[in-house]
Amino acid sequence: MSSKVAVIMGSDSDFQTVLPAIKKLKDFGIEYTVKIISAHRSPDLATEFAKSASEKGYKVIIAAAGKAAHLAGFLAANTVLPVIGLPIKSSTMDGLDSLLSTVQMPSGIPVATVAINGAENAAILAAEILAVSDEQIAQELVDMKKQMRAAIDSKNEKIVTDLLENSL
Amino acid sequence: MSSKVAVIMGSDSDFQTVLPAIKKLKDFGIEYTVKIISAHRSPDLATEFAKSASEKGYKVIIAAAGKAAHLAGFLAANTVLPVIGLPIKSSTMDGLDSLLSTVQMPSGIPVATVAINGAENAAILAAEILAVSDEQIAQELVDMKKQMRAAIDSKNEKIVTDLLENSL
Amino acid sequence: MSSKVAVIMGSDSDFQTVLPAIKKLKDFGIEYTVKIISAHRSPDLATEFAKSASEKGYKVIIAAAGKAAHLAGFLAANTVLPVIGLPIKSSTMDGLDSLLSTVQMPSGIPVATVAINGAENAAILAAEILAVSDEQIAQELVDMKKQMRAAIDSKNEKIVTDLLENSL
Amino acid sequence: MSSKVAVIMGSDSDFQTVLPAIKKLKDFGIEYTVKIISAHRSPDLATEFAKSASEKGYKVIIAAAGKAAHLAGFLAANTVLPVIGLPIKSSTMDGLDSLLSTVQMPSGIPVATVAINGAENAAILAAEILAVSDEQIAQELVDMKKQMRAAIDSKNEKIVTDLLENSL
Amino acid sequence: MSSKVAVIMGSDSDFQTVLPAIKKLKDFGIEYTVKIISAHRSPDLATEFAKSASEKGYKVIIAAAGKAAHLAGFLAANTVLPVIGLPIKSSTMDGLDSLLSTVQMPSGIPVATVAINGAENAAILAAEILAVSDEQIAQELVDMKKQMRAAIDSKNEKIVTDLLENSL
Amino acid sequence: MSSKVAVIMGSDSDFQTVLPAIKKLKDFGIEYTVKIISAHRSPDLATEFAKSASEKGYKVIIAAAGKAAHLAGFLAANTVLPVIGLPIKSSTMDGLDSLLSTVQMPSGIPVATVAINGAENAAILAAEILAVSDEQIAQELVDMKKQMRAAIDSKNEKIVTDLLENSL
Amino acid sequence: MSSKVAVIMGSDSDFQTVLPAIKKLKDFGIEYTVKIISAHRSPDLATEFAKSASEKGYKVIIAAAGKAAHLAGFLAANTVLPVIGLPIKSSTMDGLDSLLSTVQMPSGIPVATVAINGAENAAILAAEILAVSDEQIAQELVDMKKQMRAAIDSKNEKIVTDLLENSL
Amino acid sequence: MSSKVAVIMGSDSDFQTVLPAIKKLKDFGIEYTVKIISAHRSPDLATEFAKSASEKGYKVIIAAAGKAAHLAGFLAANTVLPVIGLPIKSSTMDGLDSLLSTVQMPSGIPVATVAINGAENAAILAAEILAVSDEQIAQELVDMKKQMRAAIDSKNEKIVTDLLENSL
């Protein structure tokens, strides 16, 4: 069976920041492929990948890049698959350059942008998109929401009390 | 048949900015419903809508709001449907407040954010998400991409020459 | 006797940043309750809490959150108690996202926003609000102002001289 | 009976921007006084006003100013009454200077900051603060919230349909 | 003889903003070609153009685009000709998005970025680059510098006096 | 008698923005000279002016420029006279570029920066600097402060009442 | 003999950042006094100091503060001495809040603002202001400029060669 | 043979940040000269250097500076050689001040600006400019592009697999 989600990053230096997306997809049991493709250093590779992504069976693309982050928009220009843009914070500008380069796409070519360094959310959004036509993934998402609530209830029962006791 | 896309805006004053999204959905032949729901002035309505959106047959939600734009995140907190956030530029801060309030979601609850005032792209992204399991919409998107390219070719043949002749 | 101030934070990871607010309330002798409630991961809990806050005897709510910080606005949408928004600086955007998401509320639903990571000021503002109808707290605030002045006088008498001697 | 809310603006050129606050206070039936006091051009007046505000019967101060907006902080330094800061957008910097000058107060002296040009919210926040010990105002606020919800319901019934019919 | 400078713009709506660059090239007597090529709506055209630009005789490329302005970087990824990026201010973000998307290129693929809407400077920079191996253009640039100085001298002799007389 | 203040602007297009500085100097009875000198288009003129400014009898320089506003810093590099930088807002970036280019000077070469488009304050600051050794100007400044206070008192007596009557 | 320059800081936590200003004044042989005065925690002290500064013999005031940095403007409101504003970078906002709060003063009350954390420049600017009527300080400044130039010449003769040899 | 590229930095403290540019020029076999020239501390040196740069055989200038980074513009004002501006991030403002001061040049005097701290790209851009009339350097650039692509292919074959194996 082919992978459903392609996780593309502009550089292997982004790997640790992107890793939570990969782990989350694995948790959901969603097939994924990870590739390093730079819009600027390997434009042909980016074009080929994006043009053939749909027929290779990919359903959603996650594209992570920093600075003048063109990767997500570049891929979106060459496919009609939904492309999720994950702006990576680099060493200057606090991530603002990556965010604006990813989200401010001109009319005609959207990129579904998530928060700066928001790798986990990129994976959850991919899951939500797949869940539109996949009830099993939809159920995984419903369960995840319940667990998030349960974690908060549990913290209110115990952790807050402990934190206060240790701090005051 | 139920609507596939819900277009929610925080205020009727956003209507003209959101209108290109509605027109684009209509062009694609995608069923849609338009509602005014404020996360802050009608929180119960927002909760009810989001919680029941999936069972009512909606597949994607577009949420448009300005300033401290909580609407998309609020809806996303109450559904596992993909929520597209459309930040609306208001009279101060040049849209930066709307963008950051929409896109910088904490881990667990993604919002698929498009450009400030990027209504058309919100609709195209909705179409791309539906197209993952709807070949007809996928074909519409492929056709749209061809038309965008053709429009550019046509401009290079004629319009550029005219513009130059009239300007130099 | 019921608590007068509810200190709500979006995540237990914000605890250390919020702690000065809790300590200050304790110093003032104001009853408080600390809870972890996420607008996004526990929206029902947030709604329930805010809707019942007034009848449970709370007079003021302090809401601390980061990034697309919707917590304060979310609570304010569901209560007429004054809600103090405390924007928390997260790892990107230097706190600007948290600040704008908290303060730029649309007309109808104010949030009383204090400085980024300004936990102590959140507590003092809560005290000032309670002091409108509580002369004892008003006196505490008057005393605090006198102590702040006295601390500066004391520094000018001694510390400045010492600092200069050690540095030049 | 003395006024409960003082509405202070740094310049009469801010009057039109501040006016919605005055109208809203009038709607609530809350006594108010309007004054022009500049922290920079009339510092003694500002000091005198703030120091005597409490004994003159004021309960809350709204302070509106633009650019390097020191007015709210200046007043807060001289009173323990809650001071609501209303940042006014001026002709440069899109209001960011006014916002940061108002909200980023150092520890010890909070200012309850509302949105840039958010005059109406300044008044509502003042009402919320008074409502902590005034049930009639609390009821006004509850009613206002109901009306906001009703206005949205009414728009969904009629206006959205009209807007769509006229636009598509 | 082939054109030396290619002036590429992402949309014909940018034409008026780019026009000063075209006029300046004409003033210098430098051959140029104007094309509309969108990195996002016509990626293949952009790739083909950039890959063949050198052998077609172009020496410098000026690329003008707004918002998430990928055009200059896209072309630079496919040629070793110097690419001058001209960020165009669009209706939101005051040009900051265009600037950061153009200038913050990752290592390996530079874009020679000029000021937001700085069309004339894009042409002058193109002339400076050509002048490295073209003494006639170098002389044109030296003359232009002399004229700029002469214009200022002339203004100091006459215009300042007139302006002062008319204004005081 | 030689002029005491030189008012230098980078372009005659800045004249209207700089005019309030000239008028204020005239009000104070301070001798001034107005020149157009561009750091970039007439660098030699700028160097010559700055190097000879002190021996020509100037005591203070006001330098107004926009965008990458180097003028004030350029002059300061060539004189030990105090240089007041007046950042001019241009058509992009809301004045932030002019402000940062003027104020963020490296160690060794200060520029006394006033607000964006704050021409009147540039003149008042020049007067304050001259007043350090000129009692007559010092008295003018004391009088100006009294007038500012009187203007506010007058507004509180009459204008506020009128504004309220006309607006409510 | 009385001090000529008052160095005022809002908090003793700013001491290390302000220290280069003090050292530079000492180098110039200019008499100075250092005080801790907070506009917000000791407003009366600030008022008293500023009102009496001129008659106590001060000629220039340096005011250092961070966040919503009102200190320089506060002092300037109460004196006609030139006030140099030194914005201090605090833990959020990268110094932008301090800078805007200091420099964006309304018409009538200028603050001579230097770079964020630019303590040395604050002292040099104070010296330049005093030098308008003090030839000895003027000569010190001329000498400092020569030394800065000499230091650069010396680096070009030796240090650059060493750096290159050690790095390549 | 004379050097083709001058690498000028405003301070030796920028050396480590500029070093990748020097290394890259060395890799390309391009002759270069490194100098420390401050626009503000050594303006005459900067003027002399820029005015004589062309006749000394330089073809391109790289100018690196931080904060109110005037160096590149200063040099460009005194030469018609292409000047590449390299904005250096300093300790405040995250590089935004350096970027805007470098790129936002007024009409007539362009600076070819690269990314904040983008030293390597400054060198590659210099090579691209020289390559317009130097086929050997053009071939070096073509080879570099191939190596960048090959490096990515190699990473996809091996490194991604390793990273995933070690992380999941």
Side-chain angles (χ1 to χ4, degrees):
Chain A
M1 179 193 140
S2 65
S3 295
K4 284 188 169 157
V5 178
V7 180
I8 312 298
M9 67 193 81
S11 163
D12 57 313
S13 66
D14 299 334
F15 187 82
Q16 291 305 320
T17 310
V18 177
L19 189 57
I22 299 168
K23 286 186 172 166
K24 199 77 187 177
L25 290 171
K26 200 179 170 200
D27 287 352
F28 284 132
I30 297 173
E31 295 287 316
Y32 60 86
T33 300
V34 180
K35 284 181 191 294
I36 294 168
I37 300 180
S38 164
H40 297 121
R41 280 168 292 147
S42 61
D44 288 346
L45 186 59
T47 303
E48 291 157 26
F49 171 78
K51 288 199 173 181
S52 64
S54 180
E55 69 189 45
K56 279 185 182 153
Y58 291 112
K59 302 301 182 195
V60 183
I61 297 171
I62 293 172
K67 301 183 81 177
H70 299 189
L71 181 61
F74 191 110
L75 298 176
N78 287 288
T79 182
V80 299
L81 293 180
V83 176
I84 296 170
L86 171 55
I88 303 291
K89 179 183 174 179
S90 59
S91 58
T92 59
M93 297 301 304
D94 218 11
L96 184 63
D97 49 359
S98 314
L99 173 59
L100 295 179
S101 301
T102 301
V103 77
Q104 285 292 81
M105 290 293 292
S107 203
I109 312 288
V111 164
T113 306
V114 295
I116 302 166
N117 284 6
E120 198 174 60
N121 273 2
I124 297 172
L125 180 55
E128 289 178 350
I129 291 171
L130 294 174
V132 169
S133 55
D134 183 329
E135 296 211 353
Q136 190 180 336
I137 298 177
Q139 191 55 49
E140 295 261 14
L141 287 161
V142 169
D143 292 349
M144 184 191 73
K145 268 192 150 52
K146 283 182 189 157
Q147 286 159 19
M148 292 195 299
R149 168 62 194 266
I152 283 178
D153 288 343
S154 146
K155 280 174 185 170
N156 278 317
E157 280 158 27
K158 181 83 177 72
I159 293 176
V160 172
T161 312
D162 289 358
L163 284 169
L164 286 170
E165 272 172 18
N166 295 333
S167 309
L168 297 177
Chain B
M1 180 193 141
S2 65
S3 294
K4 284 188 168 156
V5 178
V7 180
I8 311 298
M9 66 193 81
S11 163
D12 57 312
S13 66
D14 298 334
F15 187 82
Q16 290 306 320
T17 310
V18 176
L19 189 56
I22 300 169
K23 287 186 171 166
K24 199 76 188 176
L25 290 171
K26 201 180 170 197
D27 288 352
F28 284 133
I30 296 172
E31 294 288 316
Y32 60 86
T33 299
V34 180
K35 283 180 192 296
I36 295 168
I37 300 179
S38 164
H40 298 120
R41 281 168 292 148
S42 60
D44 288 346
L45 187 57
T47 303
E48 291 157 27
F49 171 78
K51 288 199 172 179
S52 63
S54 180
E55 70 190 46
K56 279 183 183 156
Y58 291 112
K59 302 300 183 195
V60 183
I61 298 171
I62 293 173
K67 300 184 80 177
H70 300 189
L71 181 61
F74 191 110
L75 298 176
N78 287 288
T79 182
V80 299
L81 293 180
V83 176
I84 297 170
L86 171 55
I88 303 291
K89 179 184 173 178
S90 61
S91 59
T92 58
M93 296 300 306
D94 217 10
L96 185 63
D97 49 358
S98 314
L99 173 58
L100 296 180
S101 301
T102 302
V103 76
Q104 284 291 81
M105 291 292 291
S107 203
I109 312 286
V111 164
T113 307
V114 295
I116 302 166
N117 284 5
E120 199 174 60
N121 274 2
I124 297 172
L125 180 55
E128 288 179 350
I129 291 170
L130 294 173
V132 169
S133 55
D134 184 328
E135 295 212 352
Q136 190 179 335
I137 299 178
Q139 191 56 48
E140 294 262 15
L141 287 162
V142 170
D143 292 349
M144 186 191 72
K145 267 193 150 53
K146 284 181 188 157
Q147 286 160 20
M148 292 194 301
R149 167 62 194 266
I152 283 179
D153 287 342
S154 147
K155 280 174 185 168
N156 277 317
E157 279 158 27
K158 181 84 177 69
I159 292 176
V160 172
T161 313
D162 289 358
L163 283 169
L164 285 171
E165 271 172 18
N166 294 334
S167 309
L168 296 178
Chain C
M1 180 192 139
S2 65
S3 294
K4 284 189 169 158
V5 178
V7 180
I8 312 297
M9 67 194 80
S11 163
D12 56 314
S13 66
D14 299 334
F15 187 82
Q16 290 306 320
T17 310
V18 177
L19 189 56
I22 300 168
K23 286 186 171 165
K24 198 76 186 176
L25 291 171
K26 200 179 171 197
D27 287 353
F28 283 133
I30 297 172
E31 295 287 316
Y32 60 86
T33 300
V34 180
K35 284 181 191 292
I36 295 168
I37 300 179
S38 164
H40 297 120
R41 281 168 292 148
S42 60
D44 288 346
L45 186 59
T47 303
E48 292 157 26
F49 171 78
K51 288 200 172 179
S52 64
S54 180
E55 69 190 46
K56 280 185 181 153
Y58 291 112
K59 301 301 183 194
V60 184
I61 297 171
I62 293 173
K67 301 183 80 177
H70 299 189
L71 181 61
F74 191 109
L75 298 176
N78 287 288
T79 182
V80 299
L81 293 180
V83 176
I84 297 170
L86 171 55
I88 303 291
K89 179 183 174 181
S90 60
S91 58
T92 59
M93 296 302 304
D94 218 9
L96 185 62
D97 49 359
S98 313
L99 172 59
L100 295 179
S101 301
T102 302
V103 77
Q104 285 291 81
M105 289 293 291
S107 203
I109 312 288
V111 164
T113 307
V114 295
I116 303 166
N117 283 6
E120 198 174 62
N121 274 1
I124 297 171
L125 179 56
E128 289 179 349
I129 291 171
L130 294 173
V132 169
S133 54
D134 183 329
E135 296 211 352
Q136 190 180 337
I137 299 177
Q139 192 55 48
E140 295 261 13
L141 287 161
V142 170
D143 293 348
M144 184 191 73
K145 268 192 150 54
K146 283 182 189 158
Q147 287 159 19
M148 292 195 299
R149 167 63 194 266
I152 283 177
D153 288 341
S154 146
K155 281 174 185 169
N156 278 316
E157 280 158 27
K158 181 82 177 70
I159 293 176
V160 173
T161 313
D162 290 357
L163 283 169
L164 286 170
E165 271 172 19
N166 295 334
S167 309
L168 297 177
Chain D
M1 178 193 139
S2 65
S3 294
K4 284 188 169 158
V5 177
V7 180
I8 312 299
M9 67 193 82
S11 163
D12 57 313
S13 66
D14 298 334
F15 187 81
Q16 291 305 320
T17 309
V18 177
L19 190 55
I22 300 168
K23 287 186 171 165
K24 199 76 189 177
L25 290 171
K26 202 181 170 197
D27 288 354
F28 284 132
I30 296 173
E31 294 289 316
Y32 60 87
T33 300
V34 179
K35 284 181 191 295
I36 294 168
I37 300 178
S38 165
H40 297 120
R41 281 168 292 147
S42 60
D44 288 346
L45 187 57
T47 302
E48 292 156 25
F49 170 78
K51 287 200 173 180
S52 64
S54 180
E55 69 190 46
K56 280 184 182 154
Y58 292 111
K59 302 300 183 195
V60 183
I61 298 171
I62 293 173
K67 300 183 81 177
H70 300 189
L71 181 60
F74 191 110
L75 299 176
N78 287 288
T79 182
V80 300
L81 292 180
V83 176
I84 296 171
L86 171 54
I88 303 291
K89 178 183 173 179
S90 61
S91 59
T92 58
M93 296 301 306
D94 217 11
L96 184 63
D97 49 359
S98 314
L99 172 58
L100 295 179
S101 301
T102 302
V103 76
Q104 285 291 81
M105 291 292 291
S107 203
I109 311 288
V111 164
T113 307
V114 295
I116 302 166
N117 284 5
E120 199 174 61
N121 274 2
I124 297 172
L125 179 56
E128 289 179 350
I129 291 171
L130 294 174
V132 169
S133 55
D134 184 328
E135 295 212 352
Q136 190 180 336
I137 299 177
Q139 190 56 47
E140 294 262 15
L141 287 162
V142 169
D143 292 349
M144 186 191 72
K145 267 193 150 54
K146 283 181 189 157
Q147 287 160 20
M148 291 194 300
R149 167 63 194 266
I152 283 178
D153 288 342
S154 147
K155 281 173 185 169
N156 278 317
E157 279 158 27
K158 181 83 178 70
I159 293 175
V160 172
T161 314
D162 290 358
L163 283 169
L164 285 171
E165 271 172 18
N166 294 334
S167 309
L168 297 178
Chain E
M1 179 194 140
S2 65
S3 294
K4 283 189 169 156
V5 177
V7 180
I8 311 298
M9 68 193 81
S11 162
D12 58 312
S13 66
D14 298 333
F15 187 82
Q16 290 306 320
T17 310
V18 176
L19 190 55
I22 300 168
K23 287 185 171 167
K24 199 77 189 176
L25 290 171
K26 201 180 170 199
D27 287 353
F28 283 132
I30 296 173
E31 294 288 317
Y32 61 85
T33 299
V34 179
K35 284 181 191 295
I36 294 167
I37 300 179
S38 164
H40 297 121
R41 280 167 293 147
S42 61
D44 288 346
L45 186 58
T47 303
E48 291 156 26
F49 171 79
K51 288 199 172 180
S52 64
S54 180
E55 70 190 46
K56 279 184 183 153
Y58 291 111
K59 301 300 183 196
V60 183
I61 298 171
I62 294 172
K67 301 183 81 176
H70 299 188
L71 181 61
F74 190 111
L75 298 176
N78 287 288
T79 182
V80 299
L81 294 180
V83 176
I84 297 170
L86 171 54
I88 304 291
K89 179 183 172 179
S90 61
S91 58
T92 57
M93 295 301 305
D94 218 9
L96 185 62
D97 49 359
S98 313
L99 172 58
L100 296 180
S101 301
T102 302
V103 77
Q104 284 292 81
M105 291 292 292
S107 202
I109 312 287
V111 164
T113 306
V114 296
I116 302 166
N117 284 5
E120 199 174 61
N121 273 1
I124 297 172
L125 179 56
E128 289 179 349
I129 291 171
L130 294 173
V132 168
S133 54
D134 183 328
E135 295 211 354
Q136 190 180 335
I137 298 176
Q139 191 55 49
E140 294 262 16
L141 287 162
V142 169
D143 292 349
M144 185 192 73
K145 268 194 149 52
K146 284 182 187 156
Q147 286 160 20
M148 291 194 301
R149 167 62 194 266
I152 282 178
D153 288 343
S154 148
K155 280 175 185 168
N156 277 318
E157 281 158 25
K158 182 85 176 70
I159 291 176
V160 172
T161 313
D162 289 359
L163 283 169
L164 285 170
E165 271 172 20
N166 294 333
S167 309
L168 296 178
Chain F
M1 179 194 139
S2 64
S3 294
K4 284 190 169 155
V5 177
V7 180
I8 312 299
M9 66 194 82
S11 163
D12 57 313
S13 66
D14 298 334
F15 187 81
Q16 291 306 321
T17 310
V18 176
L19 189 55
I22 300 168
K23 287 186 170 167
K24 199 78 189 176
L25 290 171
K26 200 180 170 199
D27 288 353
F28 284 132
I30 297 172
E31 294 288 316
Y32 60 86
T33 300
V34 180
K35 285 180 190 294
I36 294 168
I37 300 178
S38 165
H40 297 120
R41 280 168 292 147
S42 61
D44 288 347
L45 186 59
T47 303
E48 292 156 28
F49 171 79
K51 288 200 172 180
S52 64
S54 180
E55 69 190 46
K56 279 183 182 154
Y58 291 112
K59 301 300 183 196
V60 183
I61 299 171
I62 294 173
K67 300 183 81 178
H70 300 188
L71 181 60
F74 190 111
L75 298 176
N78 286 288
T79 182
V80 300
L81 293 180
V83 176
I84 297 170
L86 171 55
I88 303 291
K89 179 184 171 178
S90 61
S91 58
T92 57
M93 295 302 305
D94 217 12
L96 184 63
D97 49 359
S98 313
L99 172 58
L100 296 179
S101 301
T102 302
V103 77
Q104 285 292 81
M105 290 293 290
S107 202
I109 312 287
V111 164
T113 306
V114 295
I116 302 166
N117 284 6
E120 199 174 60
N121 274 2
I124 297 171
L125 179 56
E128 289 178 349
I129 291 170
L130 294 173
V132 169
S133 55
D134 183 328
E135 295 211 355
Q136 191 180 336
I137 299 177
Q139 191 56 48
E140 294 262 14
L141 287 162
V142 169
D143 292 348
M144 186 191 71
K145 268 193 150 52
K146 283 182 188 156
Q147 287 160 19
M148 292 195 299
R149 167 62 194 266
I152 283 178
D153 288 342
S154 147
K155 281 175 185 168
N156 278 318
E157 280 158 25
K158 181 83 178 71
I159 293 176
V160 172
T161 313
D162 289 358
L163 283 169
L164 284 171
E165 271 172 18
N166 294 334
S167 308
L168 296 178
Chain G
M1 181 192 139
S2 66
S3 295
K4 284 187 170 159
V5 177
V7 180
I8 311 298
M9 66 193 81
S11 164
D12 57 313
S13 66
D14 298 335
F15 187 81
Q16 290 306 321
T17 310
V18 177
L19 189 56
I22 300 168
K23 287 185 171 166
K24 199 78 188 175
L25 291 171
K26 200 179 170 199
D27 287 353
F28 284 133
I30 297 172
E31 295 287 317
Y32 59 86
T33 300
V34 180
K35 284 181 191 293
I36 295 167
I37 300 179
S38 164
H40 297 120
R41 281 168 292 148
S42 61
D44 288 347
L45 186 59
T47 302
E48 292 156 26
F49 171 79
K51 289 199 171 178
S52 64
S54 180
E55 70 190 46
K56 280 185 181 152
Y58 291 111
K59 301 301 182 194
V60 184
I61 298 170
I62 294 172
K67 301 184 80 178
H70 299 189
L71 181 62
F74 191 111
L75 298 176
N78 287 290
T79 182
V80 300
L81 293 180
V83 176
I84 297 171
L86 171 54
I88 303 291
K89 178 182 173 181
S90 60
S91 59
T92 59
M93 296 301 304
D94 218 10
L96 184 63
D97 49 359
S98 314
L99 172 58
L100 296 178
S101 301
T102 301
V103 77
Q104 286 291 82
M105 290 293 290
S107 203
I109 311 286
V111 164
T113 307
V114 295
I116 302 166
N117 284 6
E120 198 175 61
N121 274 1
I124 297 172
L125 179 55
E128 289 179 349
I129 291 170
L130 294 173
V132 168
S133 55
D134 184 328
E135 295 210 354
Q136 190 180 336
I137 299 178
Q139 191 56 48
E140 295 262 14
L141 287 161
V142 169
D143 292 349
M144 184 191 73
K145 267 192 151 51
K146 283 182 189 157
Q147 286 160 18
M148 291 194 300
R149 167 63 193 265
I152 283 178
D153 288 342
S154 146
K155 280 174 185 169
N156 277 317
E157 280 158 27
K158 182 82 178 69
I159 292 176
V160 172
T161 313
D162 289 359
L163 283 169
L164 285 171
E165 271 173 18
N166 295 333
S167 308
L168 297 178
Chain H
M1 180 194 139
S2 66
S3 295
K4 284 188 168 156
V5 177
V7 181
I8 312 299
M9 67 193 81
S11 163
D12 57 314
S13 66
D14 299 334
F15 187 81
Q16 291 305 321
T17 310
V18 177
L19 189 57
I22 300 168
K23 286 186 172 165
K24 199 78 188 176
L25 291 171
K26 200 178 170 200
D27 287 353
F28 283 133
I30 297 172
E31 295 288 315
Y32 61 86
T33 300
V34 180
K35 284 181 191 294
I36 294 167
I37 300 179
S38 164
H40 297 121
R41 280 167 293 147
S42 61
D44 289 346
L45 185 59
T47 302
E48 292 156 27
F49 171 78
K51 288 200 172 180
S52 64
S54 180
E55 69 190 46
K56 279 184 182 153
Y58 292 111
K59 302 300 182 195
V60 183
I61 297 171
I62 293 172
K67 300 183 80 177
H70 299 188
L71 181 61
F74 191 110
L75 298 176
N78 287 289
T79 182
V80 299
L81 294 180
V83 177
I84 297 171
L86 171 55
I88 304 291
K89 179 183 173 180
S90 60
S91 58
T92 58
M93 296 300 304
D94 217 10
L96 184 63
D97 49 359
S98 314
L99 172 59
L100 295 179
S101 301
T102 301
V103 77
Q104 285 291 81
M105 290 293 290
S107 203
I109 311 287
V111 164
T113 307
V114 296
I116 302 166
N117 284 5
E120 198 174 60
N121 274 2
I124 297 172
L125 180 55
E128 289 179 349
I129 291 171
L130 294 173
V132 169
S133 55
D134 184 329
E135 295 211 354
Q136 190 180 336
I137 298 178
Q139 191 56 48
E140 295 262 14
L141 287 161
V142 169
D143 292 349
M144 184 191 72
K145 267 193 152 49
K146 283 182 189 157
Q147 287 159 20
M148 291 194 300
R149 167 62 194 265
I152 283 178
D153 288 343
S154 146
K155 280 175 185 168
N156 278 316
E157 279 158 26
K158 181 82 176 70
I159 292 176
V160 173
T161 312
D162 289 359
L163 284 169
L164 285 170
E165 271 173 18
N166 294 333
S167 308
L168 296 179

